[in-house]
Amino acid sequence: MARQERAEQTRQRIVEAAASEFAGHGYDGTSLHGIVRTAGVTMGALTFHFRSKSALADAVQESGAAATRAALDATAPATGFQGALETVLALAGALRTTPSVRAAARLTREGHGGWYDCWAPGLRDALERSWCEQRADSGLTPLAVTTLLAHVVLGAEAAASTPEALRPVTGDAPEENLAQALRALGPLLLSRPTDTEACGA
C-alpha cells in the first residue's frame, strides 16, 4: 500500500473516531487522548494530520455536512411541503445512523460549527416556494414552519443521541411515529387557499 494511501486511511480513521467522541461527549468533553485511543493511532499521527482539536472539529463538521448532503441527495425528495417533510425525515435518519452527522449537529449546537447551514436554507426556500405555489394561508409563515421543523430536527438529534432515555416518550418505533406525525402536519399547515396576491402574482 502506498504511503499516501496509508496516510489518508489514518486521517479518515482519526476523523471517524473524533466524530464518535464529539457526538458522545461534545467539544469540551472530548480529549485528543480519547480520540487517539478510539482511532488506534499515536498522538504523533493525530498531530501530523491535525494541528489542534479545533482543526479536527472542523474536519468532523465537513464530514458531517458531506454525509448530510449525501443523505438528502439520496432521498430525492418531492417538491414543496412534502419535500420539506421528507427532508426532515432524511435528517432524522442521518442523525440516527451516522456519527459524523450527530457530531456536526452537536458541535453546532455548542457553538463550534454551522451544520444547520448545509440544510436549513434549502428547507426554508422549499417552504417559501410551496407557500406561493399552493397559496397557503394557515396563519403561519414559511419561517415559522421552518422553525418548527428545525425544532423537530433538534428533537431527532436528542432521540438519536439518547435513544434509551427517550424510549418512554418516543416508543419502540420512533422513526415510524415521527413519519406519521409529520405526514399529519401537511393538511394542518397548508389548510386553505388564499388570494393570488399573497406571493406577488
Side-chain angles (χ1 to χ4, degrees), residues 22-23 25 80 92 110 117 127 145 149 153 166-167 172 181-182 196:
F22 284 133
H25 307 292
E110 294 177 351
D117 294 341
L127 286 168
V145 176
L149 294 179
V153 173
L166 290 176
R167 194 172 302 281
D172 290 328
L182 286 176
T196 57

Side-chain angles (χ1 to χ4, degrees), residues 42-160:
T42 65
M43 185 61 76
L46 186 150
T47 56
F48 173 80
H49 290 284
F50 302 99
R51 293 191 179 275
S52 66
K53 182 174 163 181
S54 176
L56 187 48
D58 290 343
V60 169
Q61 277 285 352
E62 290 170 15
S63 176
T68 300
R69 287 190 293 270
L72 295 179
D73 290 345
T75 62
T79 58
F81 189 76
Q82 185 58 40
L85 297 185
E86 289 175 17
T87 294
V88 171
L89 289 173
L91 290 167
L95 284 163
R96 188 178 69 258
T97 61
T98 312
S100 65
V101 175
R102 278 195 306 281
R106 181 166 183 170
L107 287 168
T108 295
R109 188 165 37 81
E110 294 177 351
H112 299 281
W115 178 69
Y116 281 73
D117 294 341
C118 76
W119 61 267
L123 179 66
R124 183 175 176 183
D125 289 347
L127 286 168
E128 286 174 349
R129 284 193 305 276
S130 175
W131 244 247
C132 290
E133 290 166 4
Q134 299 183 27
R135 305 297 178 191
D137 182 15
S138 59
L140 295 172
T141 65
L143 180 57
V145 176
T146 302
T147 301
L148 170 66
L149 294 179
H151 281 80
V152 170
V153 173
L154 278 169
E157 179 197 347

